[in-house]
Amino acid sequence: MGIFNCVFGVIVLVNMIASEGKYGLANGLSMNYYIMACPFADGIIKNTVNRALQSDPTLAAALVRMHFHDCFVEGCDGSVLIDSTKDNTAEKDSPANLSLRGYEIIDAAKDALERQCPGVVSCADILAMAARDAVFFAGGPVYEIPKGRKDGRRSKIEDTINLPAPTLNSSELIRMFGQRGFTAQEMVALSGGHTLGTARCSSFKSRLSNFDSTHDMDPSMDTQFARTLSKTCSAGDKAEQPFDSTRNTFDNDYFNALQRKAGVLFSDQTLFASPRTRGIVNAYAMNMAMFFFDFQQAMVKMGMMDVKEGSKGEVRNNCRVIN
Ligand SMILES: *[C@@H]1O[C@H](CO)[C@@H](O)[C@H](O)[C@H]1NC(C)=O
Ligand SMILES: *[C@@H]1O[C@H](CO)[C@@H](O)[C@H](O)[C@H]1NC(C)=O
């Protein structure tokens, strides 16, 4: 029994060291960061996310989107979780917050973690792990992520300008993600996160009328699908349109929708309309395993964007408030 445990432990440790080498981690991150200080951190977060998704499956999309927003603004440092104060308007109150929600899941996980190992697990890590678990519980790939992010001390509404707008075309997306170190293929894989969730009419209505000087509607869009979008928008700017036919399931149907010219945002459909990215869309539409593999790699990479280390960050006591 003792020997078995010991051998098993060695195998686990060897596996962890091996997977760590694969990513060449910097910034003090590591796959087994909490193994000594908070060994049950993973399980606590998984349970919290699982319970939340069982009562509301649409929260999977919310968690993935929140992690993306966090990383693209000031790096993955939990800045998106900060509440505004009298003297500071935070990121989450930007019009670009795109109806972010799911903050209560992060709070619940943080509360449970603080009871087990106070002051150890950062809010940025909780969010990164929660997004990973949301992908898994929605039917997507299971993957391990490096941990050890520190929480940032800045959250300003003006920083949200760094988020990619839904009106960007393929070349602009390639350039914007390229500046952050992503290839065009990684950008398309990350866009595949839209396999979960919905968009509000306010983010696609510009495709439906007076599109440009020569088009009434966005010509990259199927005309029948344009009628579907118009119908959605008849309920107002906040009305939601699912990105694909399986909004709570992580699959490759999003890419099938692009092939049918039924992408919801201009920034979705442009991936198929442009010859620079169409081949990648076709490949992911045909091969879900390839999409899953590329997505998890790109998520690990995104999760390491501008990570705060050492004294550049802190472990917040409350995810909504800078210590
Ligand atoms: C998003 O921003 C709007 C203001 O543009 C604000 O009214 C709303 O409360 C914000 N949403 C969240 C979840 O903070
Ligand atoms: C993308 O948008 C930029 C800036 O608006 C424009 O210069 C460029 O021609 C567009 N590219 C395509 C392929 O439409």
Side-chain angles (χ1 to χ4, degrees):
M1 181 74 174
I3 289 177
F4 174 77
N5 273 345
C6 178
V7 169
F8 183 70
V10 169
I11 292 173
V12 169
L13 200 62
V14 167
N15 273 337
M16 280 176 167
I17 293 166
S19 59
E20 206 143 296
K22 209 165 60 187
Y23 296 106
L25 302 182
N27 301 331
L29 299 193
S30 93
M31 289 294 183
N32 50 352
Y33 191 83
Y34 294 116
I35 202 161
M36 301 306 277
C38 198
F40 301 115
D42 265 290
I44 290 171
I45 294 167
K46 260 196 185 66
N47 283 338
T48 309
V49 172
N50 191 19
R51 233 178 301 124
L53 297 189
Q54 275 177 5
S55 61
D56 181 0
T58 67
L59 286 167
L63 288 171
V64 173
R65 178 184 274 182
M66 201 192 309
H67 178 44
F68 177 84
H69 278 234
D70 187 31
C71 293
F72 265 72
V73 182
E74 279 281 305
C76 315
D77 66 347
S79 54
V80 72
L81 302 168
I82 298 285
D83 282 342
S84 292
T85 60
K86 178 157 69 34
D87 306 314
N88 180 47
T89 306
E91 283 170 31
K92 67 163 64 155
D93 288 316
S94 154
N97 66 22
L98 296 174
S99 59
L100 289 177
R101 54 200 194 92
Y103 296 109
E104 64 287 352
I105 304 174
I106 306 302
D107 291 338
K110 180 67 172 172
D111 285 350
L113 288 165
E114 287 301 298
R115 280 196 297 274
Q116 283 266 335
C117 22
V120 172
V121 185
S122 69
C123 299
D125 273 351
I126 295 173
L127 178 50
M129 290 191 266
R132 171 202 63 186
D133 296 336
V135 167
F136 169 70
F137 287 123
V142 57
Y143 56 98
E144 199 36 79
I145 56 167
K147 292 160 284 263
R149 297 165 190 77
K150 289 287 192 313
D151 296 322
R153 297 193 185 90
R154 174 190 170 97
S155 178
K156 301 236 173 246
I157 187 170
E158 57 268 27
D159 295 338
T160 53
I161 193 163
N162 295 320
L163 290 166
T167 50
L168 297 186
N169 66 31
S170 182
S171 321
E172 293 169 311
L173 288 168
I174 290 172
R175 189 169 44 79
M176 180 162 192
F177 280 74
Q179 285 166 353
R180 305 305 192 88
F182 294 101
T183 65
Q185 184 152 333
E186 288 167 337
M187 180 274 288
V188 177
L190 288 174
S191 300
H194 280 173
T195 179
L196 296 174
T198 63
R200 287 186 168 186
C201 170
S202 51
S203 54
F204 57 79
K205 69 177 177 185
S206 60
R207 304 178 72 196
L208 298 170
S209 59
N210 305 321
F211 180 69
D212 61 26
S213 54
T214 48
H215 298 98
D216 191 22
M217 285 197 183
D218 176 356
S220 70
M221 186 171 42
D222 173 71
T223 49
Q224 181 62 43
F225 186 67
R227 279 193 281 277
T228 303
L229 293 185
S230 298
K231 195 157 158 260
T232 298
C233 284
S234 64
D237 271 5
K238 287 191 169 169
E240 293 175 42
Q241 176 70 38
F243 287 113
D244 68 13
S245 59
T246 53
R247 59 177 282 187
N248 296 327
T249 305
F250 197 100
D251 55 19
N252 63 343
D253 195 44
Y254 166 78
F255 296 104
N256 294 310
L258 300 188
Q259 289 180 317
R260 292 192 307 271
K261 300 187 168 189
V264 176
L265 303 177
F266 181 80
S267 56
D268 294 317
Q269 194 58 53
T270 187
L271 302 176
F272 183 75
S274 160
R276 292 180 72 184
T277 42
R278 186 181 305 146
I280 309 167
V281 170
N282 288 335
Y284 290 160
M286 195 164 66
N287 187 343
M288 186 159 87
M290 180 187 177
F291 165 52
F292 278 18
F293 183 78
D294 286 1
F295 180 80
Q296 68 183 58
Q297 302 268 74
M299 284 294 275
V300 168
K301 185 165 172 178
M302 184 183 89
M304 298 197 287
M305 281 170 76
D306 301 327
V307 164
K308 308 277 181 294
E309 50 181 324
S311 60
K312 287 194 198 129
E314 62 186 20
V315 173
R316 258 176 239 150
N317 300 318
N318 172 343
C319 291
R320 295 171 184 266
V321 188
I322 294 163
N323 285 354

mmCIF file of all heavy atoms in Angstrom, residues 92-95 97 99-101 103, ligand 1:
data_model
loop_
_atom_site.group_PDB
_atom_site.id
_atom_site.type_symbol
_atom_site.label_atom_id
_atom_site.label_comp_id
_atom_site.label_asym_id
_atom_site.label_seq_id
_atom_site.Cartn_x
_atom_site.Cartn_y
_atom_site.Cartn_z
ATOM 1 N N LYS A 92 -14.914 46.625 -15.627
ATOM 2 C CA LYS A 92 -16.201 45.945 -15.781
ATOM 3 C C LYS A 92 -17.328 46.908 -16.085
ATOM 4 O O LYS A 92 -18.370 46.482 -16.558
ATOM 5 C CB LYS A 92 -16.513 45.056 -14.573
ATOM 6 C CG LYS A 92 -16.771 45.765 -13.284
ATOM 7 C CD LYS A 92 -17.469 44.860 -12.246
ATOM 8 C CE LYS A 92 -16.675 43.658 -11.791
ATOM 9 N NZ LYS A 92 -17.079 43.177 -10.442
ATOM 10 N N ASP A 93 -17.130 48.200 -15.880
ATOM 11 C CA ASP A 93 -18.179 49.148 -16.201
ATOM 12 C C ASP A 93 -18.003 49.822 -17.556
ATOM 13 O O ASP A 93 -18.689 50.780 -17.878
ATOM 14 C CB ASP A 93 -18.337 50.167 -15.075
ATOM 15 C CG ASP A 93 -18.985 49.519 -13.871
ATOM 16 O OD1 ASP A 93 -19.966 48.774 -14.084
ATOM 17 O OD2 ASP A 93 -18.518 49.702 -12.741
ATOM 18 N N SER A 94 -17.134 49.277 -18.374
ATOM 19 C CA SER A 94 -16.998 49.756 -19.743
ATOM 20 C C SER A 94 -18.151 49.217 -20.582
ATOM 21 O O SER A 94 -18.615 48.111 -20.350
ATOM 22 C CB SER A 94 -15.676 49.245 -20.326
ATOM 23 O OG SER A 94 -15.764 49.147 -21.723
ATOM 24 N N PRO A 95 -18.610 49.996 -21.575
ATOM 25 C CA PRO A 95 -19.636 49.453 -22.487
ATOM 26 C C PRO A 95 -19.119 48.192 -23.181
ATOM 27 O O PRO A 95 -19.888 47.356 -23.606
ATOM 28 C CB PRO A 95 -19.853 50.573 -23.502
ATOM 29 C CG PRO A 95 -19.258 51.791 -22.907
ATOM 30 C CD PRO A 95 -18.222 51.352 -21.920
ATOM 31 N N ASN A 97 -17.774 45.827 -21.763
ATOM 32 C CA ASN A 97 -17.785 44.663 -20.869
ATOM 33 C C ASN A 97 -18.683 43.549 -21.410
ATOM 34 O O ASN A 97 -18.740 42.462 -20.848
ATOM 35 C CB ASN A 97 -18.171 45.059 -19.434
ATOM 36 C CG ASN A 97 -19.597 45.552 -19.311
ATOM 37 O OD1 ASN A 97 -20.450 45.264 -20.126
ATOM 38 N ND2 ASN A 97 -19.855 46.304 -18.245
ATOM 39 N N SER A 99 -21.718 42.657 -21.449
ATOM 40 C CA SER A 99 -22.641 41.961 -20.552
ATOM 41 C C SER A 99 -21.951 40.816 -19.819
ATOM 42 O O SER A 99 -22.447 39.708 -19.734
ATOM 43 C CB SER A 99 -23.849 41.416 -21.320
ATOM 44 O OG SER A 99 -23.440 40.537 -22.328
ATOM 45 N N LEU A 100 -20.776 41.086 -19.306
ATOM 46 C CA LEU A 100 -20.052 40.084 -18.533
ATOM 47 C C LEU A 100 -20.882 39.673 -17.314
ATOM 48 O O LEU A 100 -21.539 40.503 -16.705
ATOM 49 C CB LEU A 100 -18.705 40.641 -18.060
ATOM 50 C CG LEU A 100 -17.641 40.847 -19.125
ATOM 51 C CD1 LEU A 100 -16.399 41.461 -18.504
ATOM 52 C CD2 LEU A 100 -17.289 39.541 -19.816
ATOM 53 N N ARG A 101 -20.823 38.400 -16.986
ATOM 54 C CA ARG A 101 -21.489 37.920 -15.768
ATOM 55 C C ARG A 101 -20.783 36.663 -15.282
ATOM 56 O O ARG A 101 -19.879 36.170 -15.938
ATOM 57 C CB ARG A 101 -22.982 37.680 -16.011
ATOM 58 C CG ARG A 101 -23.215 36.773 -17.149
ATOM 59 C CD ARG A 101 -24.607 36.862 -17.731
ATOM 60 N NE ARG A 101 -24.733 35.668 -18.581
ATOM 61 C CZ ARG A 101 -25.223 34.532 -18.170
ATOM 62 N NH1 ARG A 101 -25.742 34.411 -16.963
ATOM 63 N NH2 ARG A 101 -25.237 33.483 -18.965
ATOM 64 N N TYR A 103 -19.594 36.649 -12.064
ATOM 65 C CA TYR A 103 -18.710 37.088 -10.972
ATOM 66 C C TYR A 103 -18.984 36.317 -9.684
ATOM 67 O O TYR A 103 -18.078 36.074 -8.895
ATOM 68 C CB TYR A 103 -18.889 38.589 -10.709
ATOM 69 C CG TYR A 103 -18.482 39.474 -11.865
ATOM 70 C CD1 TYR A 103 -19.431 40.163 -12.617
ATOM 71 C CD2 TYR A 103 -17.137 39.629 -12.192
ATOM 72 C CE1 TYR A 103 -19.055 40.979 -13.673
ATOM 73 C CE2 TYR A 103 -16.758 40.446 -13.246
ATOM 74 C CZ TYR A 103 -17.721 41.109 -13.994
ATOM 75 O OH TYR A 103 -17.349 41.909 -15.030
HETATM 76 C C1 LIG B 1 -21.322 46.777 -18.049
HETATM 77 O O1 LIG B 1 -21.259 48.160 -18.337
HETATM 78 C C2 LIG B 1 -22.500 48.835 -18.219
HETATM 79 C C3 LIG B 1 -22.266 50.288 -18.582
HETATM 80 O O2 LIG B 1 -21.767 50.416 -19.851
HETATM 81 C C4 LIG B 1 -23.037 48.708 -16.804
HETATM 82 O O3 LIG B 1 -24.315 49.315 -16.725
HETATM 83 C C5 LIG B 1 -23.152 47.234 -16.421
HETATM 84 O O4 LIG B 1 -23.525 47.138 -15.061
HETATM 85 C C6 LIG B 1 -21.832 46.542 -16.615
HETATM 86 N N1 LIG B 1 -21.994 45.135 -16.336
HETATM 87 C C7 LIG B 1 -21.377 44.520 -15.334
HETATM 88 C C8 LIG B 1 -21.658 43.078 -15.207
HETATM 89 O O5 LIG B 1 -20.618 45.077 -14.558
#
